[in-house]
Amino acid sequence: MDKKSFIVKEIGRLDKILAQEIIKSRNQVEQLIKEGLVTVNNKLVTKTGYKLSIGDTVEYSFKEVIPKEQVVVDFDVDIIYEDEVMMVINKPSGLVVHPAPSHKGVTLVDWLKSKGISLSTIAGEERHGIVHRIDRDTTGALVIAKTNEAHQKLSDQLRYKSMGRYYLALIDYPLKDSGTVEKPIGRNRKNRFRMDIVSDGKYAKSAFYKIAKSDTNVELVAVKLFTGRTHQIRVHLNSLGRHILGDVLYGFKSKKDTIKRVLLHAYKLYLVHPVTNQQMEFVAPIFSDMQDILYQQFNKGEIDEKINPNIINSYFDNITNRM
């Protein structure tokens, strides 16, 4: 790697001064620091807020990009909305959003690149354009950033809760009441593929609204997230003794030949356009496998009326109690 260095001329935070020096965004600089590519006075520093003094020597390098082998993308993804700076897609089940150590197959990022779509680079080479993610089996609305400026603004919206999603889930037994769950989430100590409620985990809050119960005790619920932890909805439901249909990882017991994936769908996405500042909402149509089970369990007319995207927001207006 080609290393470069400079002498600090003013007191300040490492991420701020480095961003000014190399003319990169703070997000890009944070990635450099966290990936161990920055030293101060020959000592590795991984804290973005590290305080620099006048005369310190900062050395940095950029991660070498190793070209990936050509991948074959033999699928397509529905685009809900697209303009010059962003797009919203309806992610299908089974599609991993970006490369990870546990997954070497084709990803959503590969599909985006195969389409020649210009993407932001803030999140690094393997996460081009990815502002937020959805679990592999979960379906629904996902926003993609095409420019670094749009990516930064959309990420800020996630942080400050002006962007969010309403989910629909089919669960194996009715909840006692609509309400909120506030329980910290961290990695399960016995199974690295699972998350769990742990005392030293990250704060997590979910709201659940009971939409309809079937004769077989299957319940359709709407979910609003106030935080975005890995597997958050699934973990919070598991803590209540409930499971999403098809979610065998967290304890749902079913015939695998009838329910082949987790029936959780990011149904409605709301955000502020990163350029026009217009409030926008997008609805991701429910995929046929989940919709078939919905109509088997419930009256079609009643369900269509209750999941009307124009009213789903209102379900959470008065939910304050904890479950």
Side-chain angles (χ1 to χ4, degrees):
M1 291 187 215
D2 182 25
K3 293 186 177 182
K4 298 181 180 180
S5 63
F6 65 91
I7 305 297
V8 176
K9 297 178 181 178
E10 60 177 315
I11 297 172
R13 288 172 56 103
L14 173 59
D15 54 356
K16 181 180 180 181
I17 291 177
L18 185 55
Q20 292 172 345
E21 178 70 23
I22 65 177
I23 316 178
K24 297 283 185 181
S25 74
R26 288 279 282 274
N27 273 54
Q28 289 172 301
V29 166
E30 286 176 8
Q31 289 292 322
L32 288 181
I33 296 170
K34 291 175 180 178
E35 289 174 2
L37 299 174
V38 179
T39 64
V40 178
N41 300 328
N42 294 320
K43 291 184 179 180
L44 179 66
V45 175
T46 55
K47 292 184 178 180
T48 56
Y50 182 87
K51 297 297 182 182
L52 294 176
S53 301
I54 296 173
D56 284 343
T57 299
V58 177
E59 190 173 61
Y60 63 93
S61 57
F62 294 99
K63 191 175 182 180
E64 184 179 358
V65 177
I66 301 174
K68 288 180 62 176
E69 293 183 14
Q70 189 69 30
V71 294
V72 177
V73 179
D74 58 357
F75 61 88
D76 210 352
V77 175
D78 289 336
I79 299 173
I80 299 171
Y81 172 85
E82 183 176 14
D83 61 25
E84 295 81 6
V85 299
M86 58 172 272
M87 67 190 300
V88 178
I89 59 104
N90 192 8
K91 190 190 88 64
S93 176
L95 179 60
V96 173
V97 172
H98 57 71
S102 59
H103 179 79
K104 302 300 182 183
V106 181
T107 66
L108 175 62
V109 169
D110 292 318
W111 175 81
L112 290 165
K113 291 180 177 179
S114 76
K115 294 295 181 181
I117 298 170
S118 174
L119 298 168
S120 68
T121 57
I122 280 179
E125 175 66 22
E126 294 183 336
R127 301 190 183 193
H128 277 188
I130 304 302
V131 179
H132 60 109
R133 58 182 293 278
I134 298 180
D135 294 340
R136 176 176 183 160
D137 285 343
T138 304
T139 57
L142 188 74
V143 64
I144 308 294
K146 291 185 174 183
T147 68
N148 287 347
E149 180 183 8
H151 195 137
Q152 181 69 61
K153 289 183 177 180
L154 290 169
S155 294
D156 288 344
Q157 289 181 45
L158 270 180
R159 186 177 298 116
Y160 298 113
K161 309 297 184 291
S162 54
M163 179 202 296
R165 282 164 291 177
Y166 294 97
Y167 287 78
L168 295 174
L170 284 165
I171 62 175
D172 55 3
Y173 195 76
L175 296 169
K176 292 181 179 179
D177 296 293
S178 298
T180 60
V181 178
E182 289 185 68
K183 298 177 181 178
I185 293 175
R187 185 70 59 182
N188 184 292
R189 291 175 174 81
K190 295 182 180 180
N191 183 344
R192 69 183 185 88
F193 295 107
R194 287 180 49 146
M195 306 300 285
D196 210 344
I197 305 299
V198 293
S199 59
D200 59 346
K202 293 181 178 179
Y203 173 76
K205 179 181 178 181
S206 311
F208 296 90
Y209 180 84
K210 295 161 61 70
I211 295 179
K213 184 185 76 169
S214 76
D215 293 337
T216 61
N217 274 335
V218 168
E219 186 167 59
L220 173 64
V221 296
V223 190
K224 180 179 180 180
L225 296 183
F226 295 87
T227 53
R229 309 305 175 204
T230 301
H231 297 180
Q232 179 172 320
I233 296 172
R234 300 160 70 184
V235 173
H236 276 172
L237 282 171
N238 185 49
S239 74
L240 300 173
R242 308 294 191 270
H243 310 95
I244 299 173
L245 300 192
D247 190 3
V248 294
L249 179 63
Y250 285 96
F252 173 69
K253 296 176 176 60
S254 72
K255 295 179 180 179
K256 292 185 179 180
D257 60 335
T258 57
I259 301 177
K260 298 181 180 180
R261 58 99 171 175
V262 180
L263 296 182
L264 176 64
H265 181 71
Y267 182 54
K268 185 175 181 179
L269 167 73
Y270 59 91
L271 54 80
V272 178
H273 192 278
V275 174
T276 67
N277 292 321
Q278 177 186 356
Q279 183 71 46
M280 304 183 79
E281 294 184 340
F282 306 96
V283 176
I286 300 170
F287 286 88
S288 59
D289 58 346
M290 183 172 177
Q291 192 164 63
D292 288 345
I293 294 176
L294 261 177
Y295 292 159
Q296 288 168 12
Q297 294 285 338
F298 307 97
N299 176 274
K300 180 179 183 299
E302 177 189 2
I303 286 301
D304 287 346
E305 182 179 340
K306 288 185 174 180
I307 64 172
N308 182 330
N310 294 323
I311 66 172
I312 198 167
N313 309 37
S314 65
Y315 290 157
F316 299 90
D317 289 346
N318 299 313
I319 291 183
T320 57
N321 62 301
R322 297 188 186 184
M323 304 163 70

